[in-house]
Amino acid sequence: MRHFLTIADFTKEELEEILDISMKIKTETKKRIFKEYMPKQVLGMIFEKSSTRTRVSFETGIYQLGGVGLFLSSNDIQLGRGEPMSDTSRVISRMTDMVMIRTFAHSKLEEFASYSQVPVINGLTDDFHPVQLMADYLTILEEKKEKDLVVAYVGDGNNLAHSWLMLASKLGFELRIATPKGYEVKAEILAKALEFSKISGAKIIIGNDPKAAVKGATVVTTDTWVSMGQEDEKEQRVKEFTGYIVDDAMMKLAHKDAIFLHCLPAYRGYEVSVDVFEGPQSRVFEEAENRLHAQKGIMVWLDGKRND
Ligand code: CP
Ligand code: NVA
């Protein structure tokens, strides 16, 4: 049995297999062919943080695969009143076929997985958001940007930046990350990415100059400056992220055919300007739709590995 906790746990070939399944099911879905790859299966979906895309993509996805999703907000289950993660996992995983969980500390997800009898999917933690990155790469493939791919990530060294590090270092593309000083990616995650890069040939460049990062990039991406749980730091962060907005001037430095991606929700006027968000290079809603297709690919792949 396999879990989907971070991209670090997968080989390049496995990631490609998941992307192939996602693409195949997307093609079927677009023709309104709904094959029941997971009939009668129940996906438990535990949310300790808010969500629009993750919830809708997994719930719609499992339904279209022939199963059903259970939305379990931590406010409504005993987890929110202090029932331990270990007990929650042992109970829910005895009654469902797969579990997706969005939580705070990554160690809580790992704890849940260690007690689970069924595959567990990371629906976002403070450190990683791997299901998002599968949708992002699906978008890159559809846009035919995978050849000579140079991704520039401008902004906070957060769960998205960490996930880009894992994806680039596993698949072997060039990733440039520019964060303000004091908001760099975690050293141990960077170290892991550099280790994977030795095998994949990825080029990872970390710095504090957004313009240098974006120069000639074929994909420009960013994320909110204030992640869920950091609301109290908003004022300070907005001050320190000055100069990190992806606006027209920034996009002009990128390759002329570059696309702009954002996992959403987006805060216009902060990490991205309205012009870029709504402009011709933006693929943010294609990317958002791909959450549905990528999430199906992950579930079907995990289901196939149940007896491994
Ligand atoms: N990108 C993303 O995960 O969105 P939600 O927080 O709405 O799920
Ligand atoms: N970095 C953001 C991503 C939201 C999808 C957060 O963790 O809140």
Side-chain angles (χ1 to χ4, degrees):
M1 181 178 83
R2 295 285 295 273
H3 300 298
F4 195 86
L5 306 187
T6 92
I7 287 170
D9 305 333
F10 292 84
T11 63
K12 181 177 197 259
E13 291 68 31
E14 287 172 337
L15 295 169
E16 286 170 351
E17 255 174 57
I18 296 172
L19 290 160
D20 283 349
I21 298 171
S22 306
M23 202 73 99
K24 177 173 170 271
I25 299 180
K26 177 169 183 177
T27 308
E28 291 166 359
T29 304
K30 287 292 181 188
K31 293 186 196 151
R32 306 205 60 74
I33 297 168
F34 300 103
K35 292 193 189 156
E36 300 211 335
Y37 291 96
M38 295 173 67
K40 290 270 187 285
Q41 293 205 29
V42 179
L43 175 73
M45 305 187 305
I46 302 170
F47 284 91
E48 291 204 273
K49 295 180 178 178
S50 306
S51 169
T52 298
R53 282 142 287 267
T54 306
R55 178 187 177 174
V56 177
S57 58
F58 274 104
E59 198 163 333
T60 304
I62 188 69
Y63 180 70
Q64 291 181 344
L65 294 172
V68 70
L70 288 186
F71 175 67
L72 304 165
S73 155
S74 57
N75 296 328
D76 303 325
I77 59 174
Q78 302 287 10
L79 183 65
R81 295 179 63 245
E83 186 169 16
M85 209 44 132
S86 52
D87 295 359
T88 306
S89 173
R90 282 178 284 188
V91 172
I92 293 180
S93 74
R94 279 169 181 257
M95 299 189 198
T96 58
D97 302 289
M98 207 172 272
V99 177
M100 185 242 86
I101 172 163
R102 169 169 285 195
T103 186
F104 290 86
H106 193 74
S107 56
K108 284 174 79 184
L109 166 82
E110 289 175 334
E111 186 188 0
F112 189 98
S114 73
Y115 283 96
S116 175
Q117 299 196 350
V118 297
V120 175
I121 301 171
N122 178 359
L124 182 146
T125 62
D126 290 346
D127 283 346
F128 295 106
H129 195 6
V131 292
Q132 174 71 50
L133 268 284
M134 298 306 281
D136 293 1
Y137 201 73
L138 199 58
T139 314
I140 288 171
L141 290 175
E142 285 177 340
E143 293 287 329
K144 305 203 180 335
K145 297 281 182 220
E146 72 277 17
K147 207 169 157 279
D148 302 322
L149 177 61
V150 179
V151 175
Y153 175 98
V154 173
D156 191 17
N158 63 10
N159 44 9
L160 259 290
H162 293 154
S163 302
W164 276 108
L165 275 174
M166 292 299 109
L167 190 76
S169 62
K170 283 287 177 169
L171 296 187
F173 59 84
E174 180 169 340
L175 173 67
R176 305 166 184 170
I177 296 183
T179 67
K181 289 210 169 72
Y183 294 93
E184 285 90 356
V185 294
K186 284 190 178 173
E188 67 271 23
I189 295 174
L190 175 60
K192 214 176 221 186
L194 294 176
E195 194 187 304
F196 295 148
S197 300
K198 284 186 201 149
I199 299 164
S200 69
K203 194 169 166 193
I204 309 283
I205 303 166
I206 304 288
N208 305 108
D209 181 351
K211 289 186 182 135
V214 167
K215 197 162 179 265
T218 53
V219 173
V220 179
T221 187
T222 183
D223 184 22
T224 180
W225 295 341
V226 187
S227 284
M228 289 180 274
Q230 298 173 335
E231 290 77 8
D232 293 350
E233 301 170 28
K234 182 171 176 188
E235 207 179 317
Q236 181 71 15
R237 283 175 165 266
V238 168
K239 234 185 275 162
E240 300 195 308
F241 279 78
T242 305
Y244 281 77
I245 185 170
V246 178
D247 56 10
D248 275 338
M250 189 86 85
M251 282 306 285
K252 279 211 172 70
L253 301 172
H255 189 282
K256 67 173 178 27
D257 298 324
I259 56 168
F260 172 74
L261 298 179
H262 191 308
C263 67
L264 308 180
Y267 298 89
R268 295 156 178 81
Y270 293 96
E271 76 272 11
V272 60
S273 69
V274 177
D275 291 350
V276 170
F277 187 85
E278 300 288 353
Q281 289 167 289
S282 176
R283 296 291 182 276
V284 298
F285 294 108
E286 286 80 359
E287 178 188 6
E289 181 193 322
N290 277 336
R291 292 294 303 278
L292 171 65
H293 310 298
Q295 272 46 149
K296 283 185 190 171
I298 293 166
M299 289 190 281
V300 170
W301 189 88
L302 286 174
D303 188 43
K305 300 286 172 201
R306 220 173 263 283
N307 301 318
D308 284 10

